[in-house]
Every structure is written in structure tokens, then in C-alpha cells.
Amino acid sequence: SIREVIESHEALVLEARRLLQAGVRNRLEELESAPQYPTTSLGSKNEEVLKTGPFGSNLKSSYFISEGVPVLSIGSLGEDGIIESELFHLAEEIASRFDDYRVREGDVVFSRVADVGRCHLITAKERGYIISSNLIRIRMDREKMIPGYLILLLKHSRFVRDQIARMTTQAAGRLLVNTQ
């Protein structure tokens, strides 16, 4: 009986998620006729809107330790948040070399390689994490775009997903999106 209740609950949760996503997609499709702006116009003065994480020669796997400053990777971006067990860590003295790659609350991180489009909205708890080379940090002026809206677009808008697919290339057998 307990197993049946658990299975019914899980089925209800899945159906509720599906309905929510369908509702969000329908609403986003209605908004797709809104004016379009270049990504660079969404930022604050003197800040990059899009920033790719440090490349392997700079952020070496030999720097990773079991505890310290978390490093986000594609694998750590879960459907419902950050997967803690998939985070890498750096000692603070090494992490300080990568301050330009730290995230702030409200930033969006976006997978630019392989599983292109996997994304996450950074929370207050995740502030200060560092992005890896396979991610793009998107930092916008909140007066110009609400980060939660961008996440909805990236996850649920067919229009935006199609645009990303058109910008995706294949390099060394992997899908790739760059900041251009």
C-alpha cells in the first residue's frame, strides 16, 4: 500500500510538472512576437553579459580537492538545482585567481558544450561559486531583464531553443555554442 501511494504521488508530481511546463510554453509562445534585442544590450555598464569559464590550461584538474570553493560544471547543473555531489572544489588561494569567473545571485549559468542549453539560476547560497570552461555565465541588468524570465525562456521556449540550435556548431565531435 505504501509503495502504491509513493508511486501515485510520483506520478502526480510528474504530471503537475508537465502541465506547468506546457502552461509556461504556451505563455512564452505568446510573448515571442515581442521586440528582440542583442544579448549585449541586456548588461550593465562595464560588465560582460556573457563570460565563458577558464579553460583547462588555467583551471587544471590537479587543483581540485575534496572541499573548498565550489566549481560548477555541466554535470552539477541538475533539473531541480545544483547537484552537490557533482561539484569540484578549489582551495581558496587557488580560487582567488579565478575571481572573474565567480557567479553572483541572479546570474544564469548555461552549458555551452555537449548538453548545450542545460541551465541554472544562481541562488544566494551559490554566490561565489566558479564556472568551468564548459559553462557560460550570463549576467544581465535586472532593470532590463528578470533572471527568472531568462531561465523560463532557456528551458521552455521553443523559439529560444531553436535559436540556440541554429547557433550550435560541432567541434571535435561535440556540440558547442560560443559567446559570439
Side-chain angles (χ1 to χ4, degrees), residues 71-130:
V71 177
L72 295 165
S73 65
I74 296 170
S76 64
L77 303 182
E79 185 64 33
D80 297 317
I82 297 298
I83 303 169
E84 299 284 330
S85 63
E86 294 293 324
L87 292 170
F88 299 107
H89 297 87
L90 299 172
E92 184 58 53
E93 60 273 8
I94 292 178
S96 66
R97 298 182 209 167
F98 301 102
D99 284 345
D100 287 348
Y101 304 99
R102 290 187 188 251
V103 294
R104 295 182 194 156
E105 182 179 1
D107 285 350
V108 172
V109 289
F110 178 88
S111 169
R112 66 179 207 88
V113 177
D115 191 3
V116 172
R118 189 185 293 194
C119 56
H120 175 71
L121 177 62
I122 298 298
T123 66
K125 178 185 177 236
E126 299 150 358
R127 183 178 49 237
Y129 287 18
I130 295 170

Short mmCIF file of all heavy atoms in Angstrom, two decimals, residues 71-130:
data_model
loop_
_atom_site.label_atom_id
_atom_site.label_comp_id
_atom_site.label_asym_id
_atom_site.label_seq_id
_atom_site.Cartn_x
_atom_site.Cartn_y
_atom_site.Cartn_z
N VAL A 71 33.22 24.59 -7.76
CA VAL A 71 33.34 24.87 -9.19
C VAL A 71 32.17 24.18 -9.89
O VAL A 71 31.99 22.97 -9.75
CB VAL A 71 34.68 24.34 -9.77
CG1 VAL A 71 34.75 24.58 -11.27
CG2 VAL A 71 35.86 25.00 -9.05
N LEU A 72 31.39 24.98 -10.60
CA LEU A 72 30.24 24.45 -11.34
C LEU A 72 30.69 23.83 -12.65
O LEU A 72 31.54 24.39 -13.35
CB LEU A 72 29.25 25.58 -11.65
CG LEU A 72 28.57 26.23 -10.45
CD1 LEU A 72 27.93 27.55 -10.86
CD2 LEU A 72 27.54 25.29 -9.87
N SER A 73 30.10 22.71 -12.99
CA SER A 73 30.35 22.04 -14.27
C SER A 73 29.00 21.67 -14.86
O SER A 73 27.97 21.81 -14.21
CB SER A 73 31.20 20.79 -14.05
OG SER A 73 30.47 19.85 -13.30
N ILE A 74 29.01 21.17 -16.08
CA ILE A 74 27.77 20.74 -16.71
C ILE A 74 27.07 19.70 -15.83
O ILE A 74 25.87 19.77 -15.59
CB ILE A 74 28.01 20.17 -18.12
CG1 ILE A 74 28.56 21.25 -19.05
CG2 ILE A 74 26.72 19.59 -18.69
CD1 ILE A 74 29.04 20.71 -20.39
N GLY A 75 27.82 18.76 -15.32
CA GLY A 75 27.26 17.69 -14.51
C GLY A 75 26.61 18.17 -13.22
O GLY A 75 25.76 17.49 -12.67
N SER A 76 27.01 19.32 -12.73
CA SER A 76 26.43 19.82 -11.48
C SER A 76 25.13 20.58 -11.69
O SER A 76 24.46 20.94 -10.73
CB SER A 76 27.45 20.69 -10.73
OG SER A 76 27.77 21.86 -11.46
N LEU A 77 24.76 20.83 -12.96
CA LEU A 77 23.51 21.55 -13.24
C LEU A 77 22.37 20.55 -13.38
O LEU A 77 22.15 19.97 -14.43
CB LEU A 77 23.63 22.36 -14.55
CG LEU A 77 24.77 23.38 -14.64
CD1 LEU A 77 24.70 24.12 -15.97
CD2 LEU A 77 24.76 24.33 -13.47
N GLY A 78 21.64 20.35 -12.30
CA GLY A 78 20.53 19.42 -12.30
C GLY A 78 19.23 20.09 -12.71
O GLY A 78 19.13 21.32 -12.74
N GLU A 79 18.23 19.30 -12.99
CA GLU A 79 16.92 19.81 -13.39
C GLU A 79 16.29 20.66 -12.30
O GLU A 79 15.63 21.65 -12.57
CB GLU A 79 16.00 18.64 -13.76
CG GLU A 79 14.66 19.05 -14.29
CD GLU A 79 14.72 19.81 -15.62
OE1 GLU A 79 15.61 19.52 -16.43
OE2 GLU A 79 13.86 20.68 -15.82
N ASP A 80 16.54 20.28 -11.05
CA ASP A 80 15.92 20.98 -9.92
C ASP A 80 16.92 21.74 -9.07
O ASP A 80 16.65 22.05 -7.92
CB ASP A 80 15.16 19.98 -9.05
CG ASP A 80 14.01 19.33 -9.81
OD1 ASP A 80 13.30 20.05 -10.52
OD2 ASP A 80 13.83 18.11 -9.69
N GLY A 81 18.09 22.02 -9.60
CA GLY A 81 19.10 22.77 -8.83
C GLY A 81 20.47 22.16 -8.99
O GLY A 81 20.71 21.29 -9.82
N ILE A 82 21.39 22.64 -8.17
CA ILE A 82 22.77 22.15 -8.22
C ILE A 82 22.86 20.78 -7.57
O ILE A 82 22.30 20.54 -6.49
CB ILE A 82 23.71 23.15 -7.48
CG1 ILE A 82 23.71 24.52 -8.18
CG2 ILE A 82 25.12 22.59 -7.37
CD1 ILE A 82 24.21 24.50 -9.60
N ILE A 83 23.58 19.90 -8.23
CA ILE A 83 23.84 18.56 -7.70
C ILE A 83 25.17 18.64 -6.95
O ILE A 83 26.24 18.69 -7.56
CB ILE A 83 23.89 17.50 -8.83
CG1 ILE A 83 22.59 17.52 -9.63
CG2 ILE A 83 24.21 16.12 -8.25
CD1 ILE A 83 22.65 16.71 -10.92
N GLU A 84 25.07 18.73 -5.64
CA GLU A 84 26.24 18.96 -4.79
C GLU A 84 27.34 17.92 -5.02
O GLU A 84 28.52 18.25 -5.01
CB GLU A 84 25.84 18.97 -3.31
CG GLU A 84 24.84 20.05 -2.95
CD GLU A 84 25.43 21.44 -2.85
OE1 GLU A 84 26.62 21.57 -2.51
OE2 GLU A 84 24.68 22.40 -3.13
N SER A 85 26.97 16.68 -5.22
CA SER A 85 27.96 15.61 -5.38
C SER A 85 28.75 15.74 -6.69
O SER A 85 29.78 15.10 -6.85
CB SER A 85 27.29 14.24 -5.31
OG SER A 85 26.36 14.09 -6.38
N GLU A 86 28.27 16.57 -7.61
CA GLU A 86 28.95 16.75 -8.89
C GLU A 86 29.84 18.00 -8.92
O GLU A 86 30.43 18.31 -9.95
CB GLU A 86 27.92 16.84 -10.02
CG GLU A 86 27.15 15.56 -10.26
CD GLU A 86 28.03 14.44 -10.80
OE1 GLU A 86 28.96 14.70 -11.59
OE2 GLU A 86 27.80 13.28 -10.41
N LEU A 87 29.91 18.72 -7.82
CA LEU A 87 30.75 19.92 -7.75
C LEU A 87 32.22 19.53 -7.57
O LEU A 87 32.53 18.55 -6.90
CB LEU A 87 30.34 20.81 -6.58
CG LEU A 87 28.98 21.49 -6.67
CD1 LEU A 87 28.62 22.13 -5.34
CD2 LEU A 87 28.99 22.54 -7.78
N PHE A 88 33.10 20.31 -8.18
CA PHE A 88 34.52 20.22 -7.90
C PHE A 88 34.82 21.32 -6.89
O PHE A 88 34.02 22.22 -6.69
CB PHE A 88 35.33 20.44 -9.18
CG PHE A 88 35.05 19.42 -10.25
CD1 PHE A 88 34.30 19.75 -11.38
CD2 PHE A 88 35.52 18.12 -10.14
CE1 PHE A 88 34.03 18.82 -12.36
CE2 PHE A 88 35.25 17.18 -11.13
CZ PHE A 88 34.51 17.53 -12.24
N HIS A 89 36.00 21.28 -6.26
CA HIS A 89 36.34 22.30 -5.26
C HIS A 89 37.79 22.74 -5.43
O HIS A 89 38.64 21.95 -5.86
CB HIS A 89 36.13 21.76 -3.85
CG HIS A 89 34.71 21.42 -3.56
ND1 HIS A 89 34.17 20.19 -3.87
CD2 HIS A 89 33.70 22.15 -3.04
CE1 HIS A 89 32.89 20.17 -3.52
NE2 HIS A 89 32.59 21.35 -3.02
N LEU A 90 38.02 24.00 -5.07
CA LEU A 90 39.37 24.58 -5.11
C LEU A 90 39.71 25.15 -3.74
O LEU A 90 38.84 25.66 -3.04
CB LEU A 90 39.44 25.74 -6.11
CG LEU A 90 39.15 25.44 -7.58
CD1 LEU A 90 39.08 26.73 -8.38
CD2 LEU A 90 40.23 24.52 -8.15
N ALA A 91 40.99 25.11 -3.41
CA ALA A 91 41.45 25.80 -2.21
C ALA A 91 41.26 27.31 -2.45
O ALA A 91 41.38 27.79 -3.59
CB ALA A 91 42.92 25.48 -1.95
N GLU A 92 40.97 28.06 -1.40
CA GLU A 92 40.70 29.50 -1.53
C GLU A 92 41.85 30.24 -2.22
O GLU A 92 41.61 31.12 -3.05
CB GLU A 92 40.41 30.11 -0.17
CG GLU A 92 40.03 31.57 -0.22
CD GLU A 92 38.80 31.87 -1.09
OE1 GLU A 92 37.76 31.25 -0.88
OE2 GLU A 92 38.89 32.74 -1.99
N GLU A 93 43.09 29.90 -1.92
CA GLU A 93 44.22 30.62 -2.53
C GLU A 93 44.27 30.40 -4.05
O GLU A 93 44.65 31.29 -4.80
CB GLU A 93 45.56 30.28 -1.86
CG GLU A 93 45.97 28.82 -1.90
CD GLU A 93 45.43 27.99 -0.74
OE1 GLU A 93 44.60 28.47 0.04
OE2 GLU A 93 45.83 26.81 -0.65
N ILE A 94 43.87 29.23 -4.50
CA ILE A 94 43.81 28.99 -5.95
C ILE A 94 42.55 29.62 -6.52
O ILE A 94 42.57 30.25 -7.58
CB ILE A 94 43.88 27.48 -6.26
CG1 ILE A 94 45.28 26.97 -5.91
CG2 ILE A 94 43.55 27.21 -7.73
CD1 ILE A 94 45.50 25.50 -6.11
N ALA A 95 41.44 29.50 -5.81
CA ALA A 95 40.17 30.08 -6.28
C ALA A 95 40.29 31.58 -6.47
O ALA A 95 39.66 32.14 -7.38
CB ALA A 95 39.06 29.76 -5.29
N SER A 96 41.09 32.25 -5.68
CA SER A 96 41.23 33.71 -5.79
C SER A 96 41.80 34.12 -7.16
O SER A 96 41.57 35.24 -7.61
CB SER A 96 42.10 34.27 -4.66
OG SER A 96 43.42 33.80 -4.78
N ARG A 97 42.49 33.22 -7.82
CA ARG A 97 42.99 33.50 -9.19
C ARG A 97 41.85 33.56 -10.21
O ARG A 97 42.03 34.06 -11.32
CB ARG A 97 43.96 32.41 -9.64
CG ARG A 97 45.19 32.26 -8.83
CD ARG A 97 46.05 31.18 -9.45
NE ARG A 97 46.85 30.52 -8.44
CZ ARG A 97 47.50 29.39 -8.64
NH1 ARG A 97 47.42 28.77 -9.81
NH2 ARG A 97 48.20 28.85 -7.68
N PHE A 98 40.68 33.03 -9.83
CA PHE A 98 39.56 32.91 -10.75
C PHE A 98 38.37 33.78 -10.34
O PHE A 98 37.22 33.48 -10.66
CB PHE A 98 39.13 31.44 -10.87
CG PHE A 98 40.26 30.55 -11.35
CD1 PHE A 98 40.96 29.77 -10.45
CD2 PHE A 98 40.62 30.53 -12.68
CE1 PHE A 98 42.01 28.97 -10.88
CE2 PHE A 98 41.66 29.74 -13.12
CZ PHE A 98 42.36 28.96 -12.22
N ASP A 99 38.65 34.88 -9.66
CA ASP A 99 37.58 35.76 -9.19
C ASP A 99 36.70 36.28 -10.33
O ASP A 99 35.51 36.50 -10.14
CB ASP A 99 38.14 36.93 -8.38
CG ASP A 99 38.56 36.52 -6.98
OD1 ASP A 99 38.17 35.42 -6.53
OD2 ASP A 99 39.30 37.30 -6.35
N ASP A 100 37.28 36.47 -11.51
CA ASP A 100 36.50 36.95 -12.67
C ASP A 100 35.44 35.93 -13.11
O ASP A 100 34.54 36.28 -13.87
CB ASP A 100 37.40 37.25 -13.87
CG ASP A 100 38.21 38.51 -13.68
OD1 ASP A 100 37.91 39.29 -12.75
OD2 ASP A 100 39.14 38.73 -14.48
N TYR A 101 35.57 34.70 -12.67
CA TYR A 101 34.66 33.63 -13.08
C TYR A 101 33.67 33.24 -11.99
O TYR A 101 32.99 32.24 -12.11
CB TYR A 101 35.47 32.41 -13.53
CG TYR A 101 36.44 32.74 -14.62
CD1 TYR A 101 37.79 32.97 -14.34
CD2 TYR A 101 36.02 32.87 -15.94
CE1 TYR A 101 38.68 33.29 -15.35
CE2 TYR A 101 36.91 33.20 -16.96
CZ TYR A 101 38.24 33.41 -16.64
OH TYR A 101 39.12 33.74 -17.64
N ARG A 102 33.62 34.02 -10.94
CA ARG A 102 32.68 33.75 -9.84
C ARG A 102 31.29 34.22 -10.24
O ARG A 102 31.14 35.19 -10.98
CB ARG A 102 33.11 34.44 -8.56
CG ARG A 102 34.37 33.81 -7.96
CD ARG A 102 34.65 34.41 -6.61
NE ARG A 102 35.93 33.97 -6.09
CZ ARG A 102 36.08 33.13 -5.07
NH1 ARG A 102 35.02 32.61 -4.48
NH2 ARG A 102 37.28 32.81 -4.64
N VAL A 103 30.29 33.52 -9.73
CA VAL A 103 28.90 33.88 -10.04
C VAL A 103 28.30 34.68 -8.89
O VAL A 103 28.76 34.59 -7.75
CB VAL A 103 28.04 32.63 -10.33
CG1 VAL A 103 28.49 31.95 -11.61
CG2 VAL A 103 28.06 31.65 -9.16
N ARG A 104 27.28 35.47 -9.25
CA ARG A 104 26.51 36.23 -8.28
C ARG A 104 25.09 35.72 -8.28
O ARG A 104 24.63 35.15 -9.28
CB ARG A 104 26.48 37.71 -8.68
CG ARG A 104 27.79 38.40 -8.66
CD ARG A 104 27.58 39.85 -9.03
NE ARG A 104 28.86 40.47 -9.35
CZ ARG A 104 28.99 41.52 -10.12
NH1 ARG A 104 27.92 42.11 -10.64
NH2 ARG A 104 30.18 42.01 -10.37
N GLU A 105 24.38 36.00 -7.20
CA GLU A 105 22.97 35.67 -7.16
C GLU A 105 22.27 36.36 -8.33
O GLU A 105 22.49 37.54 -8.59
CB GLU A 105 22.35 36.15 -5.84
CG GLU A 105 20.91 35.80 -5.69
CD GLU A 105 20.31 36.26 -4.37
OE1 GLU A 105 21.03 36.87 -3.56
OE2 GLU A 105 19.12 35.99 -4.15
N GLY A 106 21.45 35.61 -9.05
CA GLY A 106 20.74 36.16 -10.21
C GLY A 106 21.44 35.92 -11.52
O GLY A 106 20.86 36.12 -12.59
N ASP A 107 22.71 35.49 -11.50
CA ASP A 107 23.38 35.10 -12.75
C ASP A 107 22.73 33.82 -13.25
O ASP A 107 22.20 33.03 -12.46
CB ASP A 107 24.87 34.82 -12.53
CG ASP A 107 25.73 36.07 -12.34
OD1 ASP A 107 25.22 37.20 -12.56
OD2 ASP A 107 26.91 35.91 -11.97
N VAL A 108 22.82 33.61 -14.54
CA VAL A 108 22.37 32.36 -15.14
C VAL A 108 23.60 31.67 -15.70
O VAL A 108 24.43 32.30 -16.34
CB VAL A 108 21.34 32.62 -16.28
CG1 VAL A 108 21.02 31.34 -17.03
CG2 VAL A 108 20.07 33.24 -15.71
N VAL A 109 23.76 30.39 -15.39
CA VAL A 109 24.85 29.61 -15.99
C VAL A 109 24.23 28.68 -17.02
O VAL A 109 23.14 28.14 -16.82
CB VAL A 109 25.69 28.85 -14.94
CG1 VAL A 109 26.53 29.81 -14.14
CG2 VAL A 109 24.84 28.01 -14.03
N PHE A 110 24.94 28.53 -18.13
CA PHE A 110 24.40 27.88 -19.32
C PHE A 110 25.46 26.95 -19.89
O PHE A 110 26.61 27.36 -20.09
CB PHE A 110 24.07 29.00 -20.33
CG PHE A 110 23.55 28.55 -21.64
CD1 PHE A 110 22.18 28.34 -21.83
CD2 PHE A 110 24.41 28.37 -22.72
CE1 PHE A 110 21.70 27.95 -23.07
CE2 PHE A 110 23.92 27.97 -23.95
CZ PHE A 110 22.56 27.76 -24.13
N SER A 111 25.09 25.71 -20.14
CA SER A 111 26.02 24.75 -20.72
C SER A 111 26.27 25.08 -22.18
O SER A 111 25.34 25.16 -22.97
CB SER A 111 25.43 23.34 -20.60
OG SER A 111 26.20 22.44 -21.36
N ARG A 112 27.53 25.26 -22.53
CA ARG A 112 27.87 25.64 -23.90
C ARG A 112 28.47 24.49 -24.70
O ARG A 112 28.73 24.62 -25.89
CB ARG A 112 28.84 26.82 -23.91
CG ARG A 112 30.19 26.52 -23.34
CD ARG A 112 31.13 27.72 -23.39
NE ARG A 112 32.50 27.26 -23.45
CZ ARG A 112 33.17 26.98 -24.56
NH1 ARG A 112 32.59 27.13 -25.73
NH2 ARG A 112 34.40 26.54 -24.52
N VAL A 113 28.66 23.35 -24.07
CA VAL A 113 29.30 22.20 -24.72
C VAL A 113 28.48 20.95 -24.45
O VAL A 113 27.91 20.79 -23.38
CB VAL A 113 30.74 22.00 -24.17
CG1 VAL A 113 31.40 20.77 -24.78
CG2 VAL A 113 31.59 23.23 -24.42
N ALA A 114 28.44 20.06 -25.43
CA ALA A 114 27.80 18.73 -25.31
C ALA A 114 26.31 18.86 -25.04
O ALA A 114 25.52 18.88 -25.97
CB ALA A 114 28.50 17.87 -24.27
N ASP A 115 25.90 18.97 -23.78
CA ASP A 115 24.48 19.09 -23.41
C ASP A 115 24.11 20.58 -23.45
O ASP A 115 23.77 21.18 -22.43
CB ASP A 115 24.26 18.49 -22.02
CG ASP A 115 22.79 18.33 -21.68
OD1 ASP A 115 21.95 18.63 -22.54
OD2 ASP A 115 22.49 17.91 -20.55
N VAL A 116 24.20 21.15 -24.63
CA VAL A 116 24.00 22.59 -24.82
C VAL A 116 22.61 23.00 -24.33
O VAL A 116 21.61 22.39 -24.68
CB VAL A 116 24.19 23.00 -26.29
CG1 VAL A 116 23.79 24.45 -26.52
CG2 VAL A 116 25.64 22.78 -26.72
N GLY A 117 22.58 24.04 -23.52
CA GLY A 117 21.32 24.59 -23.07
C GLY A 117 20.93 24.24 -21.65
O GLY A 117 20.02 24.84 -21.09
N ARG A 118 21.60 23.26 -21.05
CA ARG A 118 21.30 22.99 -19.64
C ARG A 118 21.64 24.27 -18.87
O ARG A 118 22.68 24.87 -19.10
CB ARG A 118 22.17 21.83 -19.15
CG ARG A 118 21.76 21.35 -17.77
CD ARG A 118 22.68 20.29 -17.22
NE ARG A 118 22.62 19.05 -17.97
CZ ARG A 118 23.14 17.91 -17.53
NH1 ARG A 118 23.75 17.89 -16.35
NH2 ARG A 118 23.07 16.83 -18.24
N CYS A 119 20.77 24.70 -17.98
CA CYS A 119 20.99 25.99 -17.33
C CYS A 119 20.48 26.00 -15.90
O CYS A 119 19.73 25.13 -15.48
CB CYS A 119 20.35 27.11 -18.14
SG CYS A 119 18.59 26.91 -18.43
N HIS A 120 20.91 27.05 -15.17
CA HIS A 120 20.55 27.18 -13.77
C HIS A 120 20.62 28.64 -13.36
O HIS A 120 21.53 29.36 -13.77
CB HIS A 120 21.50 26.35 -12.91
CG HIS A 120 21.30 26.50 -11.45
ND1 HIS A 120 20.21 25.98 -10.77
CD2 HIS A 120 22.03 27.14 -10.50
CE1 HIS A 120 20.30 26.28 -9.49
NE2 HIS A 120 21.39 26.99 -9.31
N LEU A 121 19.68 29.07 -12.53
CA LEU A 121 19.67 30.41 -11.96
C LEU A 121 20.39 30.36 -10.61
O LEU A 121 19.99 29.59 -9.72
CB LEU A 121 18.23 30.90 -11.78
CG LEU A 121 18.03 32.26 -11.13
CD1 LEU A 121 18.66 33.37 -11.96
CD2 LEU A 121 16.53 32.53 -10.96
N ILE A 122 21.44 31.14 -10.47
CA ILE A 122 22.26 31.13 -9.27
C ILE A 122 21.50 31.73 -8.09
O ILE A 122 20.93 32.81 -8.19
CB ILE A 122 23.59 31.89 -9.51
CG1 ILE A 122 24.42 31.20 -10.61
CG2 ILE A 122 24.40 32.01 -8.22
CD1 ILE A 122 24.85 29.79 -10.30
N THR A 123 21.53 31.01 -6.97
CA THR A 123 20.86 31.45 -5.75
C THR A 123 21.86 32.14 -4.83
O THR A 123 23.08 32.11 -5.08
CB THR A 123 20.25 30.24 -5.01
OG1 THR A 123 21.34 29.40 -4.56
CG2 THR A 123 19.31 29.44 -5.90
N ALA A 124 21.37 32.72 -3.75
CA ALA A 124 22.24 33.37 -2.77
C ALA A 124 23.25 32.37 -2.20
O ALA A 124 24.42 32.70 -2.00
CB ALA A 124 21.40 33.99 -1.65
N LYS A 125 22.82 31.14 -1.97
CA LYS A 125 23.70 30.10 -1.43
C LYS A 125 24.88 29.80 -2.38
O LYS A 125 25.97 29.45 -1.94
CB LYS A 125 22.89 28.83 -1.18
CG LYS A 125 23.70 27.66 -0.67
CD LYS A 125 22.87 26.40 -0.56
CE LYS A 125 23.75 25.26 -0.13
NZ LYS A 125 23.74 24.15 -1.01
N GLU A 126 24.66 29.94 -3.67
CA GLU A 126 25.67 29.58 -4.67
C GLU A 126 26.56 30.75 -5.08
O GLU A 126 27.48 30.58 -5.88
CB GLU A 126 24.97 28.99 -5.89
CG GLU A 126 24.20 27.74 -5.54
CD GLU A 126 22.97 27.49 -6.39
OE1 GLU A 126 22.65 28.30 -7.28
OE2 GLU A 126 22.30 26.49 -6.13
N ARG A 127 26.31 31.91 -4.52
CA ARG A 127 27.12 33.10 -4.82
C ARG A 127 28.59 32.80 -4.52
O ARG A 127 28.91 32.22 -3.48
CB ARG A 127 26.63 34.28 -3.97
CG ARG A 127 27.32 35.57 -4.21
CD ARG A 127 26.77 36.71 -3.38
NE ARG A 127 26.67 36.34 -1.96
CZ ARG A 127 25.54 36.40 -1.28
NH1 ARG A 127 24.42 36.79 -1.82
NH2 ARG A 127 25.53 36.07 0.00
N GLY A 128 29.47 33.15 -5.43
CA GLY A 128 30.90 32.92 -5.24
C GLY A 128 31.42 31.64 -5.85
O GLY A 128 32.64 31.44 -5.92
N TYR A 129 30.54 30.75 -6.30
CA TYR A 129 31.00 29.55 -7.00
C TYR A 129 31.71 30.01 -8.27
O TYR A 129 31.47 31.10 -8.79
CB TYR A 129 29.82 28.66 -7.38
CG TYR A 129 29.15 27.90 -6.25
CD1 TYR A 129 29.29 28.24 -4.92
CD2 TYR A 129 28.33 26.83 -6.54
CE1 TYR A 129 28.64 27.53 -3.91
CE2 TYR A 129 27.67 26.12 -5.54
CZ TYR A 129 27.84 26.48 -4.23
OH TYR A 129 27.20 25.78 -3.24
N ILE A 130 32.55 29.16 -8.80
CA ILE A 130 33.31 29.45 -10.02
C ILE A 130 32.77 28.60 -11.15
O ILE A 130 32.42 27.43 -10.94
CB ILE A 130 34.81 29.18 -9.78
CG1 ILE A 130 35.34 30.16 -8.71
CG2 ILE A 130 35.61 29.28 -11.07
CD1 ILE A 130 36.72 29.85 -8.20
#
